[in-house]
Amino acid sequence: MRGSLLALLLMLTVMDILPAQTKPTTSSVAWVHFGIFSTGIRVKYRVTPNVLERYWLDTTGVKIDSSVQTLSTGQWQRSRFVLDSIPSLLLTAGTTTYSWGCLYCGEQPVIIVEVGFTDKRPPMSYQIDADTSRIPAAIRNYVGNVKKEVSQLITEGNKKK
């Protein structure tokens, strides 16, 4: 009986350790695409350990701007949190979930987050309701901060025009 209990504890320990070794961490993240889709504007940015780029902009005009524009070092430093502080839920949920909240309900925008990894794992893409009261608590602050950052980047981009 004692030997069986020891074997069971050993098996449970191994089963707990193995999945933990294969879970993605923020150090395995190569890039994050983030942006907003709304009725007035759709924009995507890409942040990497070295640069912040705007690579897609649609202001519901005739022309979509898909030229890659490298943004300033200050904007990259301010946006680094998008890459450096990804909630663990966004590193794992993409295998079963791709959206949270009531997307396109009313007039609120949809937050876009796509996480790319350094290994051969496929990216995890999410569409998240900008009304953070409707999404999991584990990602609320992150999504709220992404929304604020995108708004600030859009404002700064409009001032340059």
Side-chain angles (χ1 to χ4, degrees), residues 16-38:
D16 189 46
I17 291 172
L18 287 178
Q21 292 174 344
T22 60
K23 287 182 184 175
T25 62
T26 54
S27 65
S28 65
V29 175
W31 50 264
V32 176
H33 293 170
F34 64 101
I36 289 183
F37 285 3
S38 71

Side-chain angles (χ1 to χ4, degrees), residues 87 128 130-146:
I128 307 168
D131 178 355
T132 58
S133 68
R134 300 176 187 191
I135 64 175
I139 62 172
R140 282 184 189 150
N141 285 338
Y142 181 80
V143 170
N145 289 336
V146 167

